[in-house]
Amino acid sequence: MTPFWKLSAAGFAATAIAYGPARMGFGLFLPEFRSVFSISLQAAGFISSLGFFGFFVGLLISQFLTARRGPRPPIVLGLAAATTGMSLVAVASNLTVLSLGVLLAMLSAGFSWTPFSDAINRQVEERLRPVSLSLVSTGTGLGIVAAGAAALLMSIGGVSWRLCWALFAVGSAFALLCNWIALSGAGEASGVRRPLRWQALFRRATTPIFAIGLCYGVTSTVYISFAADRIAQAGGVPGLPANLSGSLVFICYGAFGLLGLVTGQIKTLTGLPWLLRLLLLASALSSVLIALAPASWAGVVVSAGLQGINVMMTSAVLAFWSDRLFPAFPSRGFTAVLLAVATGSVLGPVAAGSFASHFGVTAMFLATAALAASAALAIRSGYISETPHPE
């Protein structure tokens, strides 16, 4: 097998697990978890934020390991964390074990994306690198669809959520084995180590990308943490049991998110400032629909679809925007942007859970929509720069 296919397939499997069931599974199964473990909305927000804190820590460790040991160790370690975490969730008998499992599972997302840029850069010929990286990122959307479909089919068949998580763990173990083999030739880190001058990343021209990353982290994680539970508590959509309706959210979310593959073409047509405005407004409308129409097929499908498009396209935007701003240190620059996203991901669910416990879930989603809409209105074309950032 050529390096192109070997690394593309391995990366596809890694992101499908890490950004599919490992990262989204808690929100997907929150209705069941709330029933079994008597979890309040405030506690659910705390557990979700704890998991996204794992994502934050994973990014830092991954950057450190990749710079010193090459891409293989962080990717393998991340998939090992996903396997262990999802296994713990499957057997959890109390809230502590459940929380630890969620933390380890979501830790994997921080490990399992950015190192592939390094591995592909080393082994895949230049003309095929964009295609390979696109295939790796596509694993995210299909992983989310697969997780939602598995939950839907198992619920219809009356199979326990524990078996579902056990199968996720088996899939993660298989991805771990594939990546262990595929990355055996990825090599060690480069012998030339440039000083990590993180302060060089933060300038006036780079403020917008970090601000949008922070906002994106808040709004997207509030949605994936609470949307399924919002629908279940509202009684579900007509024709589906309440506990199955959350699966519909994630299936639509992942399927529509595959449109992220055409982000570059859309950006060429609209320009970066307008693309960012449209994505933020899509996020706002998505939250409004889940707040006001959680028991409507049209409301749920459109809401999940818009959120999936927003998440996948914004991820792509942040990747190529970061690459333009920090051409001299792309991995470090992109890691800094993802850390801003991770900070929002930690703050968002815990704040939203607390807000919902005082003002209600509808108000929580409307407040999230207001944040996204305000960010869209705040964008000024003159401040959105794609100029390469001097080192």
Side-chain angles (χ1 to χ4, degrees):
M1 185 180 292
T2 65
F4 168 80
W5 286 111
K6 182 173 66 173
L7 290 177
S8 297
F12 182 94
T15 54
I17 290 294
Y19 285 84
R23 190 170 186 258
M24 305 290 187
F26 179 73
L28 174 61
F29 286 88
L30 182 57
E32 286 83 359
F33 293 153
R34 288 190 68 190
S35 175
V36 173
F37 298 102
S38 301
I39 303 174
S40 67
L41 275 175
Q42 192 164 8
F46 175 79
I47 295 170
S48 185
S49 288
L50 180 67
F52 284 109
F53 177 72
F55 172 55
F56 183 98
V57 172
L59 285 169
L60 291 174
I61 299 174
S62 178
Q63 174 69 16
F64 177 86
L65 286 176
T66 303
R68 287 157 178 78
R69 300 290 303 278
R72 190 189 194 200
I75 292 168
V76 168
L77 185 59
L79 289 170
T83 304
T84 303
M86 291 189 285
S87 298
L88 285 175
V89 171
V91 301
S93 58
N94 57 60
L95 196 56
T96 301
V97 176
L98 176 70
S99 301
L100 178 60
V102 170
L103 172 62
L104 287 173
M106 294 176 73
L107 182 74
S108 66
F111 280 94
S112 303
W113 184 8
T114 54
F116 274 103
S117 296
D118 188 88
I120 290 169
N121 183 268
R122 294 180 185 198
Q123 296 194 55
V124 176
E125 57 184 294
E126 186 173 357
R127 67 182 180 87
L128 293 175
R129 285 173 197 162
V131 179
S132 183
L133 289 169
S134 294
L135 288 170
V136 170
S137 65
T138 304
T140 299
L142 293 185
I144 295 169
V145 171
L152 180 63
L153 292 173
M154 289 191 172
S155 296
I156 291 173
V159 177
S160 168
W161 61 266
R162 293 184 184 276
L163 178 58
C164 198
W165 278 83
L167 292 176
F168 290 159
V170 171
S172 181
F174 179 73
L176 170 61
L177 177 62
C178 291
N179 275 269
W180 177 269
I181 296 170
L183 294 166
S184 59
E188 300 295 326
S190 171
V192 179
R193 295 181 185 171
R194 306 180 75 175
L196 290 175
R197 296 191 297 119
W198 288 91
Q199 65 273 19
L201 300 172
F202 304 103
R203 295 290 185 271
R204 182 177 179 181
T206 66
T207 300
I209 193 172
F210 292 116
I212 288 172
L214 182 69
C215 177
Y216 164 68
V218 172
T219 58
S220 63
T221 54
V222 169
Y223 190 91
I224 64 176
S225 297
F226 296 108
D229 188 66
R230 166 64 174 158
I231 297 168
Q233 296 303 315
V237 296
L240 279 181
N243 66 327
L244 299 186
S245 299
S247 302
L248 176 66
V249 171
F250 285 86
I251 291 171
C252 295
Y253 180 107
F256 280 85
L258 294 176
L259 290 173
L261 292 173
V262 299
T263 305
Q265 293 91 316
I266 295 176
K267 181 257 182 184
T268 300
L269 293 173
T270 64
L272 182 58
W274 269 109
L275 177 56
L276 290 169
R277 291 186 188 104
L278 290 172
L279 290 173
L280 286 163
L281 290 174
S283 176
L285 180 56
S286 171
S287 292
V288 169
L289 287 171
I290 210 68
L292 302 181
S296 158
W297 270 94
V300 169
V301 170
V302 174
S303 172
L306 286 173
Q307 193 64 219
I309 291 170
N310 165 60
V311 168
M312 302 306 173
M313 283 196 174
T314 302
S315 295
V317 167
L318 293 177
F320 63 65
W321 189 9
S322 172
D323 186 64
R324 287 285 295 149
L325 287 174
F326 312 113
F329 32 85
S331 177
R332 201 185 320 164
F334 190 39
T335 297
V337 172
L338 289 181
L339 286 172
V341 174
T343 300
S345 300
V346 172
L347 298 175
V350 69
S354 179
F355 187 93
S357 68
H358 290 90
F359 302 103
V361 180
T362 300
M364 177 194 74
F365 275 111
L366 291 177
T368 305
L371 174 62
S374 298
L377 293 174
I379 290 176
R380 296 292 180 268
S381 297
Y383 292 100
I384 303 298
S385 172
E386 291 185 78
T387 305
H389 186 275
E391 186 171 12

